[in-house]
Amino acid sequence: MIASTYTFECITPCFCAGADQTKAEIRPSSIRGALRWWFRALGGSKELETEVFGGAEPITASSILIRVSNIEPRAVGHLPAQKRNDPLSYILYYPSVSSEGTRWNQNACYGTETKFKVLIKQSRKICDEAKQKLNDTILAFRHFGSIGMHVTRGLGAIQCSSVDKQSWENAIQLIKSAGFTYQQSDKTHRIWNEALTEAGQWLMNGLRKEFGAGGVKKQPTATALGSTPKSDSELRKNRWTQVPRQTSAVYLRPIKQNGDLIFAAFEAPHDKVLGSASKQPHAHPILQSRDFTKAAPQAPQQDGRSRFR
């Protein structure tokens, strides 16, 4: 039976909170939710997911216990000012305005090099298939885990301190064999700002230009990059059609190897994580045609308008 404690490190700022949205907090429920997403994305069936994590139909208790301890917080330091048409600001826009800006403060965020321990322990036996899928889930989470706000865009990236070259090869092969598309850059960065700037360039100047998210004056669209429903008043005013809320299947995030940060991205299998409306525009994974070893796309000449998303 599984009973292991892992030490994790935040490699990008982590905007995570509990009941008090102005105070950073790493909760076991956040770890559990992330593990459950990975379990499903790696191909775990609904029945196996219920056996491992519990469920309401039928009522089943979780088979695993999760505890968070020994948090060694590091201050995030200076939070970058928001700038128009800036790739880093494009990534940081949501936490900067979340809850009317109350989340955009140093106390609500754990900085890079924050460390904490996570205990994952089985409380009862599960079938061999469920156990193997849980082991795969933990392996993926140790390398590609994220918690908190805006994790699909690089924030809240965490990584186990015990990963090495061989485990990276195993983890990448694991997600590819499960149907993920994986890409990473050849460029290395020393600080998180630079790595997320590269992520912002690919998102703002490349992916969003092809697969738009709507915007202040545009019809919202459902794609694998995620979608956010509009208010009823916006829909009536502009005669738009509503789209379902959809979390992105594409995760843009740095990974840490040999002390350096490298921009990477993975795309979960659409049939595992997307609703029907978001699947329709895509014959192939979005990342399949990208090559992150090339220079990130640059913005056209600025016209003074903000393009946050």
Side-chain angles (χ1 to χ4, degrees):
M1 294 176 65
I2 297 172
S4 298
T5 299
Y6 305 96
T7 299
F8 283 89
E9 175 188 358
C10 295
I11 62 173
T12 61
C14 181
F15 290 86
C16 52
D20 184 353
Q21 295 287 292
T22 65
K23 183 178 180 181
E25 179 183 354
I26 299 174
R27 300 182 297 165
S29 58
S30 297
I31 305 295
R32 182 183 299 275
L35 288 171
R36 196 161 192 157
W37 182 91
W38 275 105
F39 190 94
R40 187 180 305 128
L42 289 171
S45 67
K46 183 178 180 181
E47 292 74 21
L48 291 177
E49 183 181 333
T50 299
E51 183 175 358
V52 174
F53 296 99
E57 295 182 3
I59 297 176
T60 308
S62 174
S63 71
I64 59 172
L65 173 72
I66 297 175
R67 291 286 183 267
V68 177
S69 63
N70 297 86
I71 299 177
E72 300 175 11
R74 295 290 185 273
V76 68
H78 175 67
L79 289 170
Q82 292 291 287
K83 301 176 183 178
R84 292 179 183 271
N85 298 303
D86 172 61
L88 182 59
S89 296
Y90 198 75
I91 294 291
L92 296 175
Y93 176 67
Y94 277 123
S96 74
V97 299
S98 178
S99 301
E100 298 182 351
T102 59
R103 301 289 297 276
W104 191 245
N105 72 83
Q106 294 182 353
N107 292 330
C109 178
Y110 284 122
T112 58
E113 299 185 0
T114 292
K115 292 182 177 158
F116 58 97
K117 294 185 182 297
V118 175
L119 167 68
I120 302 176
K121 181 179 180 180
Q122 278 183 253
S123 58
R124 58 178 171 80
K125 289 184 178 180
I126 54 179
C127 72
D128 290 344
E129 186 179 2
K131 184 176 180 179
Q132 181 58 56
K133 192 62 65 177
L134 177 57
N135 283 328
D136 290 345
T137 296
I138 293 171
L139 175 63
F141 182 73
R142 288 173 55 219
H143 293 77
F144 300 110
S146 300
I147 55 174
M149 178 183 291
H150 222 31
V151 296
T152 63
R153 301 299 178 250
L155 295 175
I158 62 175
Q159 193 170 295
C160 188
S161 60
S162 61
V163 301
D164 55 26
K165 181 179 180 181
Q166 184 59 56
S167 71
W168 272 113
E169 292 177 0
N170 294 341
I172 292 172
Q173 180 57 40
L174 168 68
I175 66 173
K176 285 184 174 180
S177 66
F180 280 67
T181 301
Y182 179 80
Q183 301 274 6
Q184 73 176 55
S185 172
D186 285 342
K187 185 188 300 184
T188 59
H189 304 283
R190 298 300 300 178
I191 56 176
W192 69 268
N193 311 52
E194 295 175 351
L196 289 190
T197 294
E198 186 176 358
Q201 289 171 334
W202 279 101
L203 180 63
M204 183 174 75
N205 303 325
L207 294 168
R208 277 304 185 196
K209 289 182 69 175
E210 184 173 351
F211 302 101
V216 177
K217 297 181 179 180
K218 295 181 180 179
Q219 161 68 41
T221 56
T223 74
L225 282 178
S227 56
T228 304
K230 298 289 186 180
S231 67
D232 290 340
S233 60
E234 286 181 289
L235 295 173
R236 288 193 298 269
K237 178 181 177 180
N238 297 287
R239 298 182 181 179
W240 286 338
T241 302
Q242 186 63 283
V243 296
R245 182 179 299 279
Q246 177 64 66
T247 300
S248 175
V250 177
Y251 280 62
L252 309 174
R253 54 155 294 157
I255 61 175
K256 190 173 184 178
Q257 295 182 342
N258 300 320
D260 292 320
L261 295 175
I262 302 170
F263 167 60
F266 59 81
E267 183 173 0
H270 292 182
D271 62 326
K272 302 298 182 185
V273 300
L274 292 181
S276 57
S278 297
K279 294 177 188 176
Q280 292 174 6
H282 309 288
H284 305 287
I286 287 176
L287 296 182
Q288 193 174 73
S289 60
R290 266 65 187 185
D291 183 358
F292 291 147
T293 63
K294 296 180 179 179
Q298 301 300 306
Q301 185 175 0
Q302 297 182 5
D303 58 9
R305 291 177 295 178
S306 177
R307 299 193 315 162
F308 290 128
R309 190 64 178 171

